[in-house]
Amino acid sequence: MEHCGSSVRRRSINSEFLTKCWISGQGKAIDNLALTCSQIIRKSIPRVCLPIPSLNGPVHFDESSVDDIVIIQEMREDSNGEEDEEPEVVSVPLPLSNIEDFLKFFPEITQYQDTTDVLHTLQEYRKEYLAQVPQTPTNSQNEMSDEQRSDPGPISVTVTPVHENGGVRGQGPCSPATPALGVTDRRRSRNGGAPSAAYSISRSAGKGVVTSPVLSSAFTPIPAISVKKFVKVAAPDIYGHRPPVVSEPLHEAIPSVQRTLLLLDIARTVHPDTLMNRIAYDMDELMKSEGEREHARSIVKWDMGLQRCKILPSLPQAALGSTGDPTLEEVERQLGGPVRGSSTVNIPTLGFESRFECGNLRKAIQVRIFEYDLVLNSDIGSSRHHQWFYFEVKNMVADFPYRFNIINCEKGCSSFTQGMQPLLYSTNNALTTGAGWVRTGKRICYYRNNFIRRPNDINDKVYATVNSKNTCPTMYTLTFTICFPHSHDTCYIAYHYPYSYTSLQAHLLELQHITGINKILRRQQLCTSVGGNAVDLLTITQFPISTSYPTATPIGERSYVVLTARIHPGECNSSWVMKGVIEFLLSDNEKAIQLRNAFIFKIIPMLNIDGVVNGSHRCSLLGVDMNRQWINPLPHLFPSLYHTKGLMQLLVGLGRRPVLYCDFHGHSRKKNVFMYGNITNPTDNATVKLLPTILDIHAPVFSFNNCCFTVEKSRESTARVALWRQYEITRSYTLESTYCGADQGPYKGCQVGTQHLEEMGAKFCEAILIMASADQPCCVAEPTDDDNDSLYSSETEGSDSDDDSSA
């Protein structure tokens, strides 16, 4: 073997001899040999297709409601393919004829400043900008008529109060407004570019009326709108999550487990007749037979008696202990004996379900009594991105080891090989002890298997872009064993701590009921997603100038900080970090008070809501990676990106460019929390690296050594780089949070939990305050010529082909 330096050819290897060495050997060297041997042995084993009709999942988005299908298909190919050539970066401005419409998202301006001067400044900015930008076919200004491009004349903004039902005083409920930034109806979907239904601008004879974004205690969030039909609300959404008291250590792999599991996998491929192959769950068939079933939606309500937010299902569903779940006696009767201490009982087939918010499981096949093969759904509109999983399990027997094999993983490496464990949620424990998600699973292994795409998947355009040789792509198996704590239980298994759109709505509704919250928080609907879900915008600052804080900066002079998260649906760790940011900024902490009196925070906590709701990992409903569309986001395809850039452009036009922009993400391969920044000029070194340096000192889970500050050509269309280039925001970052754990600092050797991620959010806010005080002249030394060779990177940034990081 080449691996061992032997001249023995691969085709002449004796498989029986390798098997004996494989089983009898010990140590890591033998494990590495086992990996090599398994690849050699698989050369002689026939490949088999995945047990599904096609890698494209059974859930499809009706694209007939969206224009420019050809453009969408091109975006999909660009998102899935490797970028060999540097993309042409064209600074595409947003249409500026109606830039004043974005003033409704700035209550700190419309309510506390003279809007006459503001509107005059915006008009001068528009004239100057349009004079500098040439009109080209790629410029979205050409979508406007000459009349739209011309000066619309004097525009005044009148602020009027709002009734709790969302209507203007003296009028009925607000109706949809003029398309933001003058986008014509031809370029909009039925929902994509629509501005907020609760806050509107009505234009009449050059005069605008902006409704006041007042938080109403009677406000009830609209349930999430999904493409697939949900049949229930998951218990973690209903009962919530409480993190464990102590940190959970990284899982230590047992020696020889990997080679044993590899041998068993090869054995089942050689002898398929030994498998049961009983279908336990098939989403394809279930969706064919569901007919006109009504959706089960999550209703978010405020309980006046309990003084807390509750998430309830819109349809009746079986509760624990009801007739929908068997009692312990019924389970034992079905098994034919006690659930413990007997080896002769008949073990029932597990029940699976994933048709709920954020759920992802396509098929479950029972291959042995305690072993199940699982197939994940691809992202909607795509045939790739099989990584995020979240499903329900029933009919289990306690203390028996159930083995789960997820057989259609795509990545060549995984954090599960570095000590990461999947998550388990027990409904029984949640009701009796209040416990939430816990790390679980033993005998965890990640390896290449013998499954391939089906022929109809191999010939598609996306595949041809990814694999120019048109050979069968490699699939991988993630296998783990779980012993369930109770026989009479409904459990959930997930890739990482789920954070649903409904959870976000419940969190914001609870914040809305804090006494005096209107003095520091404004909640608005930025736009509506392609799927019809509301995209929230939060403005956090001290609105009435605080008399108890004499050093407060006047609201018209405060600096802006813009934060976004969850553009990739599977990166739910970013939502937990954002939750920590929001709760800290709204707290009574002295540092939070200082931040509110010095900054205005614009926060968009969830950019890709449709992907989150439907259980995708990386893409939007259109099958496109939204974090590759920031250069020129089309309003009818990517409304949340378009409106976010509209906020930025208005601030730039007012001469109040954000001092900081950060996009929160998750990283599937690296440990710790770290940042990506942009340094192409040595003079920016101290400025850009200041915030990561502060975080490295103050945030326990943050690692500066993992940070990277290079600007790669494949990242030009990401938020970090595109906003940095187009709006000259020097401190434009991506904050990457690990799924796994830490290998440095006080949390070294521990898996990351929600408490660590929320703490990271709080430390991020504290670092902004320290950064602001350190920004005084002479506080940071400029780099010398000797330092220029190591200015830009602490660690090499991964490529798109092997990493789901957005950078």
Side-chain angles (χ1 to χ4, degrees):
M1 292 178 293
E2 296 177 1
H3 181 79
C4 301
S6 172
S7 60
V8 180
R9 294 184 179 180
R10 293 185 175 184
R11 66 181 64 180
S12 63
I13 291 179
N14 188 312
S15 298
E16 182 178 355
F17 171 74
L18 287 175
T19 302
K20 291 181 180 179
C21 296
W22 193 339
I23 297 176
S24 60
Q26 295 183 3
K28 188 173 182 179
I30 300 299
D31 285 341
N32 293 333
L33 176 63
L35 289 174
T36 304
C37 293
S38 67
Q39 305 305 323
I40 298 173
I41 295 174
R42 288 186 190 279
K43 295 289 185 179
S44 60
I45 299 177
R47 308 293 293 275
V48 294
C49 295
L50 286 169
I52 51 178
S54 170
L55 281 183
N56 292 297
V59 181
H60 302 283
F61 174 62
D62 182 13
E63 297 176 351
S64 62
S65 61
V66 181
D67 298 332
D68 300 331
I69 298 301
V70 176
I71 295 178
I72 297 173
Q73 293 174 349
E74 293 176 354
M75 290 178 178
R76 287 173 182 168
E77 295 179 10
D78 293 340
S79 298
N80 288 284
E82 296 179 3
E83 300 182 42
D84 298 326
E85 300 180 359
E86 184 172 357
E88 181 182 1
V89 180
V90 181
S91 181
V92 181
L94 297 176
L96 299 176
S97 66
N98 291 345
I99 192 173
E100 293 88 354
D101 288 0
F102 276 89
L103 278 176
K104 64 185 176 183
F105 300 120
F106 293 86
E108 68 278 7
I109 295 177
T110 59
Q111 296 180 12
Y112 300 99
Q113 299 182 45
D114 185 0
T115 56
T116 303
D117 294 339
V118 171
L119 293 170
H120 177 73
T121 302
L122 290 177
Q123 291 174 12
E124 293 299 321
Y125 168 73
R126 178 173 57 247
K127 292 179 181 179
E128 179 182 355
Y129 200 97
L130 292 178
Q132 296 176 355
V133 178
Q135 299 301 316
T136 65
T138 60
N139 193 324
S140 57
Q141 290 287 331
N142 289 334
E143 299 295 335
M144 300 183 297
S145 63
D146 293 337
E147 182 180 355
Q148 287 176 313
R149 283 197 201 97
S150 63
D151 190 345
I155 299 178
S156 61
V157 177
T158 305
V159 180
T160 58
V162 176
H163 282 306
E164 293 183 352
N165 62 359
V168 180
R169 192 183 301 272
Q171 301 179 15
C174 297
S175 58
T178 302
L181 299 183
V183 183
T184 61
D185 289 339
R186 183 176 63 84
R187 296 303 305 269
R188 299 172 64 238
S189 68
R190 55 186 176 182
N191 293 317
S196 167
Y199 317 106
S200 66
I201 282 189
S202 57
R203 304 182 65 86
S204 175
K207 185 174 182 179
V209 178
V210 184
T211 63
S212 175
V214 178
L215 289 175
S216 168
S217 60
F219 172 75
T220 300
I222 300 175
I225 301 174
S226 62
V227 175
K228 58 184 176 183
K229 293 184 178 180
F230 296 153
V231 299
K232 67 179 306 176
V233 178
D237 277 351
I238 297 176
Y239 304 120
H241 164 66
R242 180 185 300 174
V245 179
V246 296
S247 299
E248 298 167 293
L250 290 169
H251 174 68
E252 295 184 6
I254 302 175
S256 77
V257 164
Q258 185 175 36
R259 61 179 182 267
T260 302
L261 295 175
L262 287 171
L263 178 62
L264 291 174
D265 186 72
I266 293 176
R268 57 173 280 179
T269 307
V270 176
H271 303 286
D273 54 312
T274 61
L275 305 179
M276 299 172 61
N277 287 329
R278 178 188 299 166
I279 297 178
Y281 180 77
D282 191 343
M283 189 173 179
D284 294 75
E285 295 299 325
L286 289 172
M287 292 194 64
K288 292 178 182 178
S289 60
E290 65 184 1
E292 299 299 326
R293 182 201 302 265
E294 185 180 355
H295 281 254
R297 304 191 185 279
S298 303
I299 307 299
V300 181
K301 290 186 176 182
W302 178 258
D303 191 313
M304 296 299 295
L306 299 176
Q307 286 296 300
R308 66 177 180 86
C309 188
K310 296 174 63 176
I311 299 177
L312 303 173
S314 61
L315 298 177
Q317 63 186 46
L320 188 65
S322 69
T323 56
D325 292 309
T327 63
L328 181 59
E329 292 75 14
E330 292 173 342
V331 173
E332 292 179 341
R333 191 181 309 115
Q334 179 184 3
L335 299 178
V339 296
R340 295 179 176 85
S342 174
S343 59
T344 61
V345 298
N346 295 319
I347 306 300
T349 301
L350 291 179
F352 295 86
E353 186 56 81
S354 65
R355 289 172 296 170
F356 50 82
E357 188 175 348
C358 299
N360 189 336
L361 177 66
R362 183 173 182 178
K363 196 169 187 177
I365 304 172
Q366 186 179 18
V367 294
R368 297 186 179 93
I369 295 179
F370 290 104
E371 184 175 356
Y372 293 80
D373 282 354
L374 308 179
V375 181
L376 304 180
N377 275 307
S378 60
D379 285 5
I380 294 178
S382 171
S383 62
R384 300 182 61 219
H385 309 300
H386 306 89
Q387 184 168 336
W388 169 258
F389 58 87
Y390 180 22
F391 54 89
E392 177 191 87
V393 182
K394 284 187 175 183
N395 296 337
M396 71 284 293
V397 179
D399 300 335
F400 278 84
Y402 287 88
R403 182 183 174 190
F404 299 96
N405 309 312
I406 300 177
I407 61 176
N408 64 330
C409 300
E410 295 176 333
K411 292 185 178 294
C413 57
S414 171
S415 291
F416 286 104
T417 63
Q418 305 177 35
M420 175 175 160
Q421 292 175 288
L423 285 146
L424 176 69
Y425 188 97
S426 167
T427 307
N428 192 319
N429 288 343
L431 290 176
T432 56
T433 65
W437 291 98
V438 295
R439 299 280 187 174
T440 190
K442 297 181 179 180
R443 299 174 65 85
I444 300 174
C445 187
Y446 191 86
Y447 55 85
R448 182 181 301 176
N449 59 35
N450 276 73
F451 289 104
I452 59 172
R453 292 172 177 249
R454 304 189 69 84
N456 58 324
D457 293 314
I458 294 176
N459 297 324
D460 63 21
K461 292 183 179 180
V462 172
Y463 174 75
T465 306
V466 177
N467 195 335
S468 58
K469 297 181 180 180
N470 204 31
T471 58
C472 296
T474 299
M475 307 300 287
Y476 293 83
T477 292
L478 166 64
T479 181
F480 52 89
T481 300
I482 292 179
C483 291
F484 294 100
H486 307 285
S487 293
H488 177 48
D489 203 355
T490 299
C491 292
Y492 295 81
I493 300 174
Y495 179 82
H496 195 68
Y497 301 93
Y499 193 93
S500 65
Y501 174 64
T502 300
S503 297
L504 171 65
Q505 296 301 306
H507 181 223
L508 296 181
L509 188 59
E510 287 191 342
L511 296 177
Q512 191 170 312
H513 285 80
I514 298 176
T515 303
I517 193 67
N518 285 331
K519 298 179 180 179
I520 58 177
L521 172 66
R522 294 290 189 273
R523 177 184 178 184
Q524 297 171 271
Q525 181 179 321
L526 179 65
C527 61
T528 305
S529 69
V530 173
N533 292 295
V535 180
D536 284 296
L537 168 67
L538 306 181
T539 302
I540 300 178
T541 192
Q542 192 71 42
F543 281 98
I545 302 301
S546 176
T547 57
S548 61
Y549 203 86
T551 60
T553 305
I555 197 167
E557 301 176 9
R558 296 177 190 174
S559 300
Y560 277 90
V561 174
V562 181
L563 306 176
T564 59
R566 209 65 182 277
I567 197 171
H568 291 149
E571 296 171 2
C572 43
N573 41 4
S574 65
S575 284
W576 291 102
V577 176
M578 183 63 80
K579 182 174 183 286
V581 168
I582 295 172
E583 290 190 344
F584 180 84
L585 290 176
L586 298 178
S587 69
D588 294 332
N589 186 286
E590 178 62 26
K591 295 180 179 178
I593 297 174
Q594 295 180 40
L595 284 168
R596 294 197 299 266
N597 281 280
F599 295 93
I600 298 173
F601 291 86
K602 292 290 183 180
I603 298 177
I604 306 172
M606 197 170 284
L607 285 168
N608 189 355
I609 294 174
D610 297 333
V612 172
V613 170
N614 290 281
S616 295
H617 175 69
R618 190 171 180 85
C619 298
S620 67
L621 283 184
L622 304 176
V624 177
D625 184 351
M626 289 174 58
N627 202 37
R628 296 298 183 270
Q629 308 301 326
W630 280 96
I631 293 179
N632 182 24
L634 300 178
H636 61 302
L637 300 182
F638 312 106
S640 61
L641 309 191
Y642 179 84
H643 284 74
T644 300
K645 291 191 69 175
L647 300 180
M648 298 281 201
Q649 186 129 9
L650 186 138
L651 290 175
V652 172
L654 293 177
R656 302 182 67 178
R657 179 178 286 104
V659 296
L660 171 65
Y661 169 76
C662 190
D663 192 20
F664 293 177
H665 285 261
H667 204 287
S668 68
R669 294 189 301 114
K670 295 182 180 180
K671 295 180 179 178
N672 310 313
V673 179
F674 51 94
M675 299 184 83
Y676 292 126
N678 309 294
I679 298 180
T680 56
N681 190 334
T683 58
D684 293 335
N685 182 65
T687 302
V688 175
K689 288 189 175 181
L690 178 59
L691 181 60
T693 302
I694 296 171
L695 286 171
D696 187 60
I697 298 172
H698 293 275
V701 75
F702 190 89
S703 172
F704 183 85
N705 292 331
N706 293 122
C707 295
C708 179
F709 302 95
T710 57
V711 182
E712 294 190 351
K713 60 182 181 182
S714 61
R715 314 294 184 182
E716 287 289 345
S717 54
T718 62
R720 166 177 64 96
V721 181
L723 299 183
W724 165 67
R725 288 197 186 278
Q726 294 184 13
Y727 300 127
E728 300 179 355
I729 304 174
T730 304
R731 289 184 169 123
S732 180
Y733 300 100
T734 297
L735 181 73
E736 297 278 357
S737 301
T738 178
Y739 289 104
C740 183
D743 60 9
Q744 53 84 44
Y747 299 140
K748 181 179 181 179
C750 295
Q751 298 186 72
V752 67
T754 58
Q755 68 275 26
H756 305 128
L757 297 172
E758 292 186 45
E759 179 190 42
M760 181 65 228
K763 295 298 182 181
F764 180 84
C765 297
E766 294 179 358
I768 294 176
L769 189 62
I770 299 174
M771 179 191 72
S773 61
D775 271 341
Q776 302 301 323
C778 301
C779 285
V780 182
E782 289 295 324
T784 62
D785 294 338
D786 296 337
D787 298 330
N788 288 346
D789 294 337
S790 60
L791 287 178
Y792 308 125
S793 177
S794 299
E795 184 168 299
T796 303
E797 188 174 349
S799 64
D800 285 337
S801 59
D802 62 356
D803 176 30
D804 66 351
S805 163
S806 61

